Amino acid sequence: MKIVILINSLRGGGAERVAATLANQFSIEGNDVAFWLFHPEGQAYWIEKTVSVHVLQERGKNRMIRIISRVSGCRKEAAREKPDVL
């Protein structure tokens, strides 16, 4: 199964820890797992070498433009990668 975890970053925090733990376990179980991040800097939690990390670029200084850019980028990447679970 192809699983994608979309999260802002892996810098640290509760949601990031849970995402890293889930990704590691899904990968150990033989699934194809990837992280899609908006901010690649910093990684507070260890992730398996089999888990891939992709950075989705966002554009614009205006908050609304960045949100639209994020949604558009996610849609394009999902259409290209065709994950089973996002």
Side-chain angles (χ1 to χ4, degrees):
M1 179 179 284
K2 192 169 194 172
I3 301 170
V4 172
I5 300 173
L6 175 65
I7 195 161
N8 194 45
S9 72
L10 289 172
R11 283 184 278 206
E16 291 83 353
R17 182 178 52 83
V18 170
T21 303
L22 287 172
N24 289 335
Q25 187 59 41
F26 291 149
S27 181
I28 289 169
E29 292 174 358
N31 295 294
D32 180 13
V33 182
F35 274 111
W36 289 356
L37 307 174
F38 294 111
H39 301 284
E41 60 278 342
Q43 182 175 330
Y45 303 105
W46 180 82
I47 57 172
E48 292 283 335
K49 291 180 181 170
T50 54
V51 176
S52 61
V53 177
H54 301 279
V55 178
L56 302 176
Q57 298 297 320
E58 59 182 12
R59 294 172 179 76
K61 294 183 180 182
N62 180 302
R63 183 172 184 261
M64 190 57 100
I65 299 296
R66 284 195 316 266
I67 291 170
I68 292 169
S69 174
R70 284 181 176 188
V71 171
S72 175
C74 288
R75 289 181 61 141
K76 286 177 186 175
E77 193 70 18
R80 191 172 65 81
E81 292 289 326
K82 296 183 182 15
D84 296 313
V85 178
L86 173 60

